[in-house]
Amino acid sequence: MTTSLILAVETSCDETAAAVIQNGNEIRSSVIASQMESHQRFGGVVPEVASRHHVEQITLVMEQALAEADVSPDDLDAVAVTEGPGLVGALLVGISAVKAAAFAWDLPVLPVHHIAGHIYANHLVEELTFPLMALVVSGGHTELIYMEDHHSYEKLGETRDDAVGEAYDKVARTIGLPYPGGPEIDKLAGTAEPELALPRAWLEEGSLDFSFSGLKSAVINTLHNAEQKGRTVDPAVLAASFQEAVCDVLVTKTMQALEQRPVRQLVVAGGVAANQGLRAGLEEAAAGQEWKLSIPPLALCTDNAAMIGAAAHQQWLKGQKADDRLNGMPGLPLPLTSSS
Ligand code: KG4
Ligand code: ZN
């Protein structure tokens, strides 16, 4: 087996992260500097603030990742970085740092798609087994992706409006919970019963697409209607009902996708993979099935650089590398092999 030692960097949103990954599956170090507190008072990520934090942190975080892994630049085979999608100013900080390091250390640069990274977070726990289905659920994406092999992506369905994490964050804001709202709603949902009947957008028969804006509006309307009538709605019941509606749709559509395309593994990817309701729903659905379910541990669900290193290893094996023109690509699509 060809071995590799890769220094990977991730700065697409509000975490400045660097990691050293060996052979695509061994985490030698993984450092994450979170900016969450700075964004909390604005109720969301402020791009300009994010870029400035990345600039302050990036060198320190990269040095710390090397030190914790006990690795010197001479030991590295490549450097990897998130190319997109993400905030352009934030992406550029990581890309510039990695380009400079690659130039100084005479190493190739591996450009990684952020969503590919989230999928490959699973490879850090247990080897990916193809063909597989990936349920991608993050702040910017909700997609069902079929993979026949490494870095071969076929999109079977996607959201037509809000991403699921975005819906979580907006609903949390309406209830008055701090940013990021996903984990807060998740916690609150665990304390109550889902008593409110909220809508599920199933869309056309057989469609594997998603839609969460109607559900989000239903939550907001429920609160406003109650307010106008001088009543209160228990936020915990609202959170539990919202979470149940989201998980119902995500689990049901994933099962439908698996009927259309039999696989050996179902992997869950992105920040919302940390959700307790979704984890429980998928575990229940996976019982007795022929495919195995893989959900990363909580620390690997949200943004980190270890996942970027894991995805980069497979690109390194294929000899793929970026040239000097590598740039931040805010809307970079996954390189699809085909689309249904
Ligand atoms: O993947 P990620 O860290 O960043 C993006 O690439 O978007 O995902 C962040 C999203 C946020 O919307 C956050 O609220 C959501 O993931 N999230 C959760 C949970 N933990 C993070 N949503 C629901 N339940 C959670 N436990
Ligand atoms: Zn992410």
Side-chain angles (χ1 to χ4, degrees):
M1 179 174 169
T2 323
T3 62
S4 75
L5 203 56
I6 295 174
L7 172 65
V9 164
E10 150 66 42
T11 62
S12 68
C13 191
D14 60 348
E15 324 276 6
T16 318
V20 174
I21 299 300
Q22 191 165 330
N23 296 336
N25 61 7
E26 191 186 328
I27 305 176
R28 293 279 300 265
S29 66
S30 179
V31 180
I32 304 174
S34 175
Q35 320 171 351
M36 215 167 286
E37 272 176 31
S38 301
H39 299 289
Q40 242 156 13
R41 64 197 166 109
F42 302 108
V45 177
V46 184
E48 201 38 51
V49 174
S51 307
R52 258 183 275 148
H53 276 288
H54 286 309
V55 170
E56 281 167 16
Q57 295 293 327
I58 188 68
T59 316
L60 295 169
V61 167
M62 285 168 75
E63 281 172 357
Q64 195 180 333
L66 287 175
E68 284 184 16
D70 197 17
V71 155
S72 91
D74 289 343
D75 304 324
L76 295 172
D77 294 295
V79 279
V81 66
T82 307
E83 181 184 13
L87 303 168
V88 68
L91 289 164
L92 272 175
V93 177
I95 290 172
S96 309
V98 159
K99 272 187 176 176
F103 182 71
W105 302 334
D106 195 20
L107 291 170
V109 176
L110 305 167
V112 177
H113 191 282
H114 184 74
I115 295 304
H118 274 301
I119 293 173
Y120 275 85
N122 289 281
H123 194 67
L124 293 164
V125 184
E126 160 171 42
E127 197 161 328
L128 296 182
T129 323
F130 300 101
L132 66 76
M133 189 74 68
L135 171 65
V136 178
V137 279
S138 75
H141 293 258
T142 311
E143 285 160 14
L144 278 161
I145 309 269
Y146 177 77
M147 290 177 73
E148 195 114 336
D149 203 347
H150 283 295
H151 289 300
S152 152
Y153 305 100
E154 186 181 347
K155 198 188 289 175
L156 304 183
E158 66 186 325
T159 183
R160 294 185 185 171
D161 40 60
D162 290 351
V164 61
E166 194 181 352
Y168 261 95
D169 293 337
K170 286 180 183 163
V171 163
R173 206 168 171 168
T174 312
I175 299 182
L177 298 169
Y179 173 86
E184 299 290 331
I185 297 240
D186 193 8
K187 252 186 273 164
L188 198 58
T191 66
E193 291 301 317
E195 287 162 15
L196 294 170
L198 293 172
R200 279 96 164 126
W202 298 113
L203 307 173
E204 314 82 64
E205 175 91 35
S207 171
L208 294 174
D209 281 349
F210 300 93
S211 165
F212 294 105
S213 69
L215 172 61
K216 176 194 68 189
S217 303
V219 172
I220 296 170
N221 290 343
T222 304
L223 273 174
H224 287 173
N225 288 344
E227 236 168 62
Q228 277 167 357
K229 290 177 188 152
R231 294 195 201 126
T232 52
V233 182
D234 181 351
V237 170
L238 200 54
S241 309
F242 169 75
Q243 178 137 314
E244 189 190 56
V246 168
C247 295
D248 190 7
V249 172
L250 288 176
V251 174
T252 305
K253 295 237 172 197
T254 304
M255 293 308 122
Q256 287 168 355
L258 293 172
E259 273 165 31
Q260 289 182 17
R261 298 290 177 99
V263 295
R264 295 174 65 199
Q265 191 181 14
L266 168 65
V267 306
V268 193
V272 185
N275 187 269
Q276 297 305 324
L278 181 60
R279 294 171 93 94
L282 288 172
E283 272 158 21
E284 196 184 321
Q289 301 280 0
E290 297 203 334
W291 42 267
K292 64 175 185 229
L293 172 66
S294 166
I295 312 180
L298 295 188
L300 290 174
C301 287
T302 42
D303 290 348
N304 63 86
M307 67 185 198
I308 302 301
H313 172 74
Q314 298 299 331
Q315 296 174 219
W316 179 79
L317 286 176
K318 289 185 185 156
Q320 289 172 357
K321 58 181 180 178
D323 62 25
D324 295 350
R325 288 168 298 176
L326 179 66
N327 207 343
M329 305 289 275
L332 184 70
L334 252 185
L336 299 179
T337 18
S338 59
S339 186
S340 302

